[in-house]
Amino acid sequence: MRIAFFGTPTFAVSCLDACTRIGDVALVIAQPDKPSGRGLSLTPPPTKVRARELGIPVEQPTKVRDGALAKSIRDAA
């Protein structure tokens, strides 16, 4: 089973791990990197960090309705 995983926060990482055990996660969709900390350095969301560790491609769309995300999901399938 091919899976496109949508998730950003820390608690979604365990869900991502569970999905990798039951199927083939072809793509992770997460919110864009956000500035954080005193220096406001861009910080990737936890699901992006985990996806990179697992070698799974990540998309971080700023807009959903422009069709680019739909194309990425179709291409990953």
Side-chain angles (χ1 to χ4, degrees), residues 18-70:
C19 287
T20 61
R21 288 191 295 273
I22 63 169
D24 177 26
V25 179
L27 183 65
V28 170
I29 297 95
Q31 292 179 359
D33 297 356
K34 304 268 185 197
S36 68
R38 239 175 223 260
L40 294 178
S41 60
L42 284 179
T43 304
T47 51
K48 177 182 179 181
V49 173
R50 183 66 178 141
R52 296 287 184 199
E53 291 170 357
L54 296 170
I56 301 170
V58 177
E59 287 289 328
Q60 295 179 279
T62 55
K63 294 183 179 182
V64 177
R65 295 185 183 203
D66 65 1
L69 178 60

